[in-house]
């Protein structure tokens, strides 16, 4: 494909003028050739007519009398007048003929014999008539050739005189035996030819005018076309330039985005590494605190100390839970969470989680029901601890946010080998505007929820990450004041 850069620049005015000139020249050539042809045809028609008249007139000359008329003194004689009479009659009967005359050759000279101007003159002819024997002094080559070759000759051009123009033709005179004895000349006014040519010339002039207009139109059209083309090329070049510019910018942005992504990833990783390390460092002394507390509880049985130690224990456990959640999340974000797949007896795992939560449900007067569908298999290839973690989180939330009524846990088979778990409650529900942010880390419905129910806002974020690791999905349906149902699907590896 030709690119805009390789194209030579367009000059619409130059191209328009060029197109106009070419059209003008070619058309003029055509008009000129047509004119020449027409002029030639017209002239040939005149020549043909003239020869025809000459041939007819030649039959009116009596060879014998013509032979006798040799001396100037015979001019005006009865023989002379008698010989002239039919020619003059013929002359008078024709239009446009100026002269009819005959001549013979004697030695090297050509001498006139008969001339109709002796008896009949057309207007405009002022010269005196030539007497018999007058020597021809002119140089008309056709007249001489008629004698040299004894053939018909007709001039190939119009002779222009001061008052008139004429064409001449020459016809050989032969007697009954075919002997050549002279030449009959006939001159005819070329007015008729001129008239005919005037029409042809007018047509040629009109054609010339049409050709000029055509050339101007062609030039204008070519100019407009080239100008449109030049504009289109310019636009194309501009678009190409814009595209190049946009591409360059896009590449810059892509590079920048890559840099940012790398930086963000690095920052995220160091944050997670920091959190993981800190959580670990916090967990160890916390265990120490809790173990010491339990030792002290055994030692100091009085009510006041028991109350204080109980407070330390609860606070320590709550702190440990937070530290554990943080550690979990940090490990998952750092991508170091292990998903340990092995055959798991899923029913006992689920049952165990529910049983552990039953006490807190009962303490609040909330019923806790478990329904495991019959088709749920005994064993699944999965990470049982992770499944336990998600279940604990959802059931714990359901109990936590339900004041009265019940929490139901339903377990079914999902897509052949997976599980679908629905944890429904009749609790406080979740307002619509909080739905979007619930699975984000450290996200709770509002600040009062933290004050009233405690928690970190990490449980759902961790559950979502674990469910994703297990190849499943997590979601919920809830309306404020109408309870919630949190559900998740849990994939399992194919059994080997
Ligand atoms: P935490 O429970 O520690 O605050 P979670 O991530 O488990 O953190 O839950 C985030 C928030 O989602 C909760 O604080 C609560 O506002 C809302 N929530 C979760 N489960 C329920 C539920 N069953 N009913 C009503 N609100 C819930």
């Amino acid at each position: 494909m030709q690119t805009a850069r390789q194209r030579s620049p367009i000059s619409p005015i130059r191209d328009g003028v060029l197109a106009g000139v070419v059209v003008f020249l070619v058309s003029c050539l055509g008009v000129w050739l047509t004119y020449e042809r027409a002029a030639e045809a017209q002239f040939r028609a005149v020549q043909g007519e003239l020869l025809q008249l000459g041939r007819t007139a030649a039959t009116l000359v009596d060879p014998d009398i013509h032979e006798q008329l040799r001396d100037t003194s015979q001019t005006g004689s009865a023989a002379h007048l008698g010989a002239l009479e039919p020619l003059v009659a013929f002359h008078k009967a024709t239009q446009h003929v100026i002269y009819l005359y005959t001549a013979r050759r004697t030695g090297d000279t050509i001498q006139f014999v008969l001339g109709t101007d002796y008896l009949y003159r057309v207007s405009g002819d002022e010269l005196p008539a030539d007497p018999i024997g007058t020597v021809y002094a002119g140089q008309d080559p056709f007249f001489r050739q008629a004698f040299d070759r004894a053939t018909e000759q007709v001039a190939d051009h119009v002779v222009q005189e001061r008052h008139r123009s004429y064409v001449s033709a020459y016809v050989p005179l032969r007697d009954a035996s075919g002997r050549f004895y002279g030449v009959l000349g006939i001159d005819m006014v070329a007015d008729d030819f001129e008239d005919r040519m005037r029409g042809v010339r007018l047509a040629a002039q009109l054609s010339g005018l049409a050709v000029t207009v055509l050339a101007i139109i062609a030039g204008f059209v070519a100019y407009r076309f080239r100008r449109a083309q030049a504009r289109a090329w310019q636009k194309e070049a501009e678009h190409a330039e814009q595209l190049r510019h946009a591409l360059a910018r896009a590449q810059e942005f892509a590079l920048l985005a890559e840099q940012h992504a790398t930086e963000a990833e690095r920052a995220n990783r160091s944050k997670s590494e920091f959190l993981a390390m800190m959580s670990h460092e916090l967990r160890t002394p916390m265990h120490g605190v809790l173990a010491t507390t339990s030792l002290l509880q055994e030692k100091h049985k009085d009510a006041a100390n028991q109350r204080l130690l109980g407070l330390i224990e609860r606070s320590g456990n709550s702190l440990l839970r937070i530290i554990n959640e943080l550690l979990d999340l940090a490990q998952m974000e750092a991508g170091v969470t292990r998903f340990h797949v092995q055959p798991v007896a899923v029913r006992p795992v689920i049952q165990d989680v529910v049983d552990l939560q039953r006490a807190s449900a009962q303490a609040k007067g909330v019923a806790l029901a478990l329904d495991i569908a019959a088709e749920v298999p005994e064993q699944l290839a999965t990470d049982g601890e992770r499944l336990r973690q998600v279940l604990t989180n959802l059931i714990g939330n359901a109990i936590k946010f339900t004041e009265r009524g019940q929490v139901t846990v339903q377990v079914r088979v999902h897509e052949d080998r997976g599980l679908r778990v629905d944890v429904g409650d009749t609790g406080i529900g979740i307002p619509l505007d909080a739905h979007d942010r619930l699975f984000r880390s450290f996200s709770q419905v509002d600040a009062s929820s933290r004050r009233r129910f405690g928690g970190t806002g990490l449980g759902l974020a961790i559950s979502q990450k674990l469910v994703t690791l297990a190849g499943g999905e997590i979601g919920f349906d809830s309306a404020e004041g109408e309870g919630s149902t949190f559900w998740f699907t849990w994939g399992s590896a194919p059994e080997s």
Side-chain angles (χ1 to χ4, degrees):
M1 211 180 77
Q2 215 180 15
T3 67
R5 218 176 292 160
Q6 290 166 330
R7 289 168 176 157
S8 51
I10 294 177
S11 163
I13 294 183
R14 180 200 62 195
D15 294 349
V17 169
L18 206 69
V21 168
V22 168
V23 169
F24 182 75
L25 289 180
V26 170
S27 310
C28 274
L29 187 71
V31 171
W32 180 74
L33 282 175
T34 312
Y35 172 77
E36 282 293 301
R37 286 269 165 89
E40 199 182 310
Q42 293 294 353
F43 192 65
R44 276 192 203 290
V46 171
Q47 284 178 318
E49 268 172 43
L50 195 55
L51 273 175
Q52 199 53 48
L53 287 173
R55 279 183 212 126
T56 311
T59 60
L60 302 174
V61 179
D62 184 323
D64 297 332
I65 300 174
H66 197 270
E67 277 304 290
Q68 289 163 22
L69 299 171
R70 289 186 171 271
D71 198 74
T72 314
S73 61
Q74 289 174 294
T75 307
S77 65
H80 181 215
L81 296 176
L84 269 178
E85 197 184 333
L87 283 178
V88 170
F90 180 77
H91 185 172
K92 285 179 178 171
T94 59
Q95 251 191 332
H96 304 309
V97 172
I98 307 170
Y99 294 129
L100 267 173
Y101 50 92
T102 63
R104 76 159 66 82
R105 185 146 67 180
T106 312
D108 282 342
T109 60
I110 293 171
Q111 293 175 344
F112 289 112
V113 181
L114 301 170
T116 51
D117 57 339
Y118 188 76
L119 291 178
Y120 175 62
R121 283 182 169 273
V122 293
S123 63
D125 184 18
E126 280 125 32
L127 294 172
D130 294 323
I132 295 170
T134 304
V135 174
Y136 171 64
Q139 294 300 323
D140 186 346
F142 297 100
F143 194 21
R144 291 190 182 279
Q145 270 171 26
F147 278 102
D148 293 345
R149 298 178 188 169
T151 54
E152 290 176 345
Q153 298 291 329
V154 61
D156 61 0
H157 60 277
V158 174
V159 177
Q160 292 288 343
E161 283 188 344
R162 202 149 65 89
H163 298 297
R164 61 190 174 190
S165 52
Y166 65 92
V167 188
S168 305
Y170 307 97
V171 177
L173 293 169
R174 295 182 189 277
D175 62 13
S177 62
R179 186 182 63 86
F180 173 69
Y181 66 90
V183 166
L184 177 131
I186 180 167
D187 294 348
M188 196 172 80
V189 186
D191 290 354
D192 185 36
F193 169 69
E194 287 300 322
D195 283 349
R196 292 191 210 176
M197 280 312 293
R198 212 164 288 133
V200 175
R201 232 172 269 136
L202 186 69
Q205 279 162 359
L206 285 177
S207 305
L209 197 69
V211 158
T212 310
V213 173
L214 188 75
I216 290 170
I217 292 172
F220 185 65
V221 168
Y223 162 75
R224 290 292 296 261
F225 172 73
R226 293 296 272 169
R227 196 180 61 173
Q229 200 175 14
R231 283 184 184 163
W233 282 11
Q234 193 186 347
K235 278 242 168 64
E236 206 178 299
E238 278 170 17
H239 287 165
E241 187 53 43
Q242 280 169 2
L243 197 67
R244 258 197 301 282
H245 193 66
L247 273 177
R249 297 271 298 164
Q251 273 166 358
E252 273 172 33
F253 281 135
L255 211 69
L256 216 63
E258 209 178 294
Q259 281 171 2
H260 285 170
T262 318
E263 273 166 29
E265 202 183 321
R266 200 180 305 133
N268 200 32
R269 207 173 313 123
S270 33
K271 181 195 82 179
S272 301
E273 278 164 8
F274 171 76
L275 270 177
M277 195 186 75
M278 285 308 288
S279 302
H280 184 74
E281 294 304 319
L282 289 173
R283 214 155 45 152
T284 314
M286 207 54 228
H287 279 300
V289 169
L290 284 174
T292 315
T293 309
S294 119
L295 283 176
L296 285 172
Q297 273 174 331
E298 276 170 25
K299 248 184 169 178
H300 303 281
K301 299 279 186 189
D302 58 298
N305 280 330
Q306 281 292 327
R307 197 169 50 80
L308 290 173
L309 289 170
L311 192 64
I312 295 174
E313 191 193 21
R314 280 196 302 281
S315 302
N317 275 324
S318 146
L319 197 56
L320 191 63
R321 206 179 59 248
I322 294 173
I323 291 167
N324 279 338
E325 283 183 347
L326 275 175
L327 182 62
D328 257 358
L329 193 71
Q331 277 179 338
M332 273 184 257
E333 282 186 354
V336 294
T337 308
R338 281 207 318 270
F339 199 77
H340 193 56
V341 177
Q342 59 184 10
V344 174
V346 280
R347 285 166 176 269
V349 168
I350 300 166
Q351 188 68 56
D352 196 30
V353 174
V354 172
D355 288 346
L356 278 173
Q357 302 272 356
R358 200 174 297 281
S360 57
Q362 272 168 359
K364 294 180 79 177
V366 172
L368 177 59
L370 170 64
D371 172 20
I372 303 181
E375 69 268 20
V376 172
E378 290 299 327
Q379 272 201 344
L380 274 181
T382 189
D383 186 329
E385 270 317 298
R386 298 303 185 183
L387 177 60
R388 180 190 291 273
Q389 206 175 338
V390 176
L391 274 171
T392 304
N393 192 19
L394 294 191
I395 298 171
N397 274 351
I399 295 169
K400 185 160 72 168
F401 295 106
T402 304
E403 295 305 329
R404 72 181 74 86
Q406 60 176 5
V407 171
T408 51
V409 182
Q410 278 189 322
V411 186
R412 281 171 283 157
V413 168
H414 173 70
E415 286 182 358
D416 283 355
R417 279 188 310 275
L419 293 180
R420 168 155 177 147
V421 180
D422 287 67
V423 181
D425 64 56
T426 53
I428 59 171
I430 299 158
L432 209 61
D433 60 348
H435 280 208
D436 281 350
R437 57 187 145 89
L438 231 51
F439 287 102
R440 275 187 238 142
S441 308
F442 305 106
S443 174
Q444 293 180 318
V445 166
D446 55 31
S448 66
S449 167
R450 181 190 296 269
R451 280 196 302 278
R452 225 174 113 200
F453 302 103
T456 54
L458 286 175
L460 286 180
I462 292 170
S463 297
Q464 189 184 41
K465 286 196 162 61
L466 288 175
V467 166
T468 308
L469 274 178
E473 280 178 294
I474 187 165
F476 67 92
D477 297 311
S478 180
E480 195 170 7
E482 290 178 22
S484 318
T485 299
F486 279 77
W487 58 265
F488 68 92
T489 57
W490 192 262
S492 82
E495 295 201 42
S496 50

